[in-house]
Amino acid sequence: MRKLLIALLLVVCLDVSAQMPRCHYTADDSTLVCRLLASGQTDPLWFARQFEGRPYVAHTLELYPDDERLVLNTKELDCTTFVDVVVALTLCSQRGERQFSDFVIQLQRQRYRGGVCNGYPSRIHYFSDWIDDGTRKGFVREIQQKEAPFTAVQTLKIDYMTKHPDAYVALKRHPKFLTPIAAQEDSLTGRRYRYIPTSAVTNSKAMRAAVHNGDILATVSTTPGLDIAHLGFAVWHDDGLYFLDASSIHKKVVEEPVPLRTYLQQRKKMAGIRVVRIKTEN
């Protein structure tokens, strides 16, 4: 009987191992994730603040252009990986999941189409696609209102990756990926989303009702072929709304020193913000 139980346990362990994604990470990454999950915190803004001061580094996911795998780097972040990691920590903690393996599985579910890492095209590359995919999976929901302050509409025309393949190492090395990426761009093109234009980003009662602390803020891009220019988290202060982001200008994760309205006014390639809320587990 004992041998049978051991055999059954081995089968279960092997089955769990088979479900684990191939993941690139360091001991420091796993230690940090476990420490943060052990805190019991469930506020996304609390998790986001734990990364303040971490260096901004772009392209950290491109370590395996020939053999895509899940890359976790908590020491160096760009705006997308910063948001991705914070969302995964928040969702795991809300569910009472404290194991590093729980976090890795959640991160893969967010980052890949169908939650399966199956080559570079399986990664979700455009943030509008990430929002819609996460909505279907029940992780997030985009705040969409017909009334103010959501007075503008973004209609997507997406083709940036296929128009600029030399900017992506995997596309340069594997032109065959252009076909599935183009299909993804075509599926996004024509989708419409309500957003808050820069002129409506005020310290008003309507804005405070629409945008909550810890919401993901996605700045609407005016660059042809792109949907989103930058990502971060909403932080309210008495004098207005601020932005906590992995900043390429400050070279680190930082709460921007000026209100979000001023931040947007200083950037011609940003037209306003879309608002995405991490869903609270019941």
Side-chain angles (χ1 to χ4, degrees):
M1 178 63 72
R2 183 180 178 186
K3 289 183 178 180
L4 178 60
L5 288 173
I6 291 173
L8 287 171
L9 286 172
L10 284 173
V11 169
V12 170
C13 290
L14 287 171
D15 184 56
V16 171
S17 177
Q19 295 175 33
M20 283 290 292
R22 292 186 304 161
C23 182
H24 174 97
Y25 64 93
T26 68
D28 287 343
D29 293 319
S30 59
T31 298
L32 175 64
V33 166
C34 290
R35 178 173 64 79
L36 293 178
L37 290 177
S39 71
Q41 294 284 339
T42 58
D43 177 10
L45 196 52
W46 184 89
F47 284 114
R49 289 205 180 279
Q50 306 314 301
F51 295 95
E52 285 187 276
R54 301 253 165 173
Y56 173 95
V57 178
H59 311 301
T60 59
L61 302 185
E62 312 309 321
L63 296 180
Y64 302 94
D66 303 317
D67 184 26
E68 178 79 11
R69 64 188 65 184
L70 184 71
V71 174
L72 169 61
N73 184 346
T74 61
K75 297 179 291 299
E76 302 165 326
L77 299 158
D78 64 20
C79 69
T80 302
T81 59
F82 174 48
V83 167
D84 226 9
V85 166
V86 169
V87 170
L89 287 167
T90 302
L91 291 170
C92 285
S93 191
Q94 286 180 353
R95 294 193 294 256
E97 297 172 350
R98 304 288 181 251
Q99 302 300 315
F100 180 64
S101 58
D102 297 324
F103 172 85
V104 169
I105 291 171
Q106 176 61 42
L107 189 64
Q108 175 165 283
R109 291 178 70 197
Q110 293 170 198
R111 191 175 290 172
Y112 290 92
R113 202 170 305 281
V116 178
C117 177
N118 185 26
Y120 182 78
S122 70
R123 195 196 311 167
I124 300 172
H125 297 284
Y126 290 98
F127 198 69
S128 292
D129 210 1
W130 187 96
I131 297 169
D132 289 350
D133 187 77
T135 299
R136 287 190 295 270
K137 293 171 181 171
F139 303 152
V140 296
R141 66 182 179 95
E142 183 162 7
I143 307 304
Q144 297 273 284
Q145 300 173 1
K146 292 183 179 179
E147 63 270 13
F150 293 86
T151 56
V153 176
Q154 180 186 32
T155 302
L156 300 189
K157 188 178 186 308
I158 304 298
D159 60 9
Y160 190 88
M161 291 180 70
T162 51
K163 288 286 182 67
H164 303 85
D166 287 347
Y168 303 88
V169 60
L171 294 182
K172 284 195 297 183
R173 294 173 68 159
H174 301 280
K176 65 182 180 181
F177 292 161
L178 287 169
T179 298
I181 295 297
Q184 294 167 20
E185 292 175 338
D186 288 345
S187 73
L188 285 166
T189 294
R191 297 185 192 180
R192 293 163 58 86
Y193 304 92
R194 299 195 72 86
Y195 71 93
I196 304 173
T198 298
S199 60
V201 179
T202 62
N203 191 14
S204 66
K205 188 174 182 180
M207 270 293 297
R208 286 183 175 269
V211 181
H212 298 174
N213 273 323
D215 281 349
I216 302 165
L217 303 181
T219 68
V220 174
S221 176
T222 61
T223 300
L226 274 181
D227 55 341
I228 298 300
H230 194 43
L231 304 172
F233 291 94
V235 182
W236 280 104
H237 293 296
D238 289 345
D239 63 336
L241 182 61
Y242 285 74
F243 197 41
L244 178 59
D245 65 326
S247 169
S248 60
I249 295 174
H250 299 291
K251 305 298 182 185
K252 61 184 178 181
V253 176
V254 63
E255 184 178 317
E256 295 291 340
V258 297
L260 180 60
R261 181 187 176 95
T262 303
Y263 175 93
L264 293 169
Q265 289 172 334
Q266 294 171 347
R267 289 159 176 82
K268 294 182 179 180
K269 292 185 177 181
M270 299 181 187
I273 56 170
R274 288 166 59 185
V275 182
V276 182
R277 189 159 299 153
I278 303 171
K279 293 190 73 173
T280 302
E281 294 286 330
N282 294 323

